[in-house]
Amino acid sequence: MTLDAHDRVLLLKNERDEWELPGGRLEIGSPDGTQLPDTSPEAALEREIQEETGWSVKAGPLIDGGTWIYQPIPGRRVLIVTYGCTVLTPERPPIVSHEHKQLDMFTAAEVPGLNMPDGYKQAVAAWFGRGHVDSAGLDNREQM
């Protein structure tokens, strides 16, 4: 989960007209070596956010209550694991990739009214409520 400098969460609209957090699947790599495997779930998330938004991020920590099972369509179940992410390129405006219909930024007060699975809403609320300042004096709520 990533928050911008204005304390807004970055969300993407999918083909089902639902808002969701950026992310995706672990890459296992290709036999010919052209696609390297992800070395960890965090590395996969960092790669996915870069691909989907253009932002470079550092993933971690896991968000309390941010692990849940979602059934986006009948017969398909997906394990969702939600991490906080520090934006490493906050000066760069995020862009929407071909994988989504829209990208937008939302405040904590706006999220409950969105067409969005409850598991995502709970993770977003937990991350907004978690904010702290790290040893470098940076607000680590620049994460999602």
Side-chain angles (χ1 to χ4, degrees):
M1 175 148 84
T2 306
L3 300 182
D4 71 358
H6 303 287
D7 214 23
R8 299 173 300 173
V9 63
L10 181 146
L11 298 174
L12 302 166
K13 188 176 273 190
N14 62 32
E15 71 280 356
R16 295 178 308 279
D17 282 329
E18 295 174 333
W19 290 99
E20 63 186 8
L21 297 170
R25 300 179 199 168
L26 287 166
E27 293 289 346
I28 60 170
S30 62
D32 65 2
T34 57
Q35 173 66 49
L36 298 176
D38 290 316
T39 57
S40 67
E42 295 86 356
L45 179 59
E46 291 166 0
R47 176 187 49 73
E48 286 283 345
I49 291 175
Q50 172 68 43
E51 290 172 4
E52 293 179 356
T53 71
W55 269 355
S56 294
V57 301
K58 175 70 177 155
L62 285 169
I63 294 177
D64 251 356
T67 301
W68 52 288
I69 296 174
Y70 180 50
Q71 185 169 321
I73 57 175
R76 181 172 181 204
R77 293 168 47 106
V78 179
L79 174 66
I80 305 292
V81 179
T82 312
Y83 288 86
C85 297
T86 301
V87 179
L88 302 177
T89 54
E91 72 288 348
R92 184 181 308 152
I95 55 168
V96 66
S97 76
H98 68 280
E99 296 178 45
H100 292 91
K101 296 168 61 172
Q102 187 178 347
L103 175 150
D104 211 335
M105 307 297 294
F106 297 93
T107 65
E110 293 171 314
V111 171
L114 297 175
N115 181 27
M116 183 177 178
D118 287 340
Y120 282 131
K121 288 181 182 183
Q122 291 167 8
V124 170
W127 191 250
F128 268 117
R130 179 184 181 276
H132 72 279
V133 175
D134 71 13
S135 60
L138 299 173
D139 185 339
N140 275 339
R141 288 183 298 168
E142 288 186 0
Q143 305 186 16
M144 175 72 97

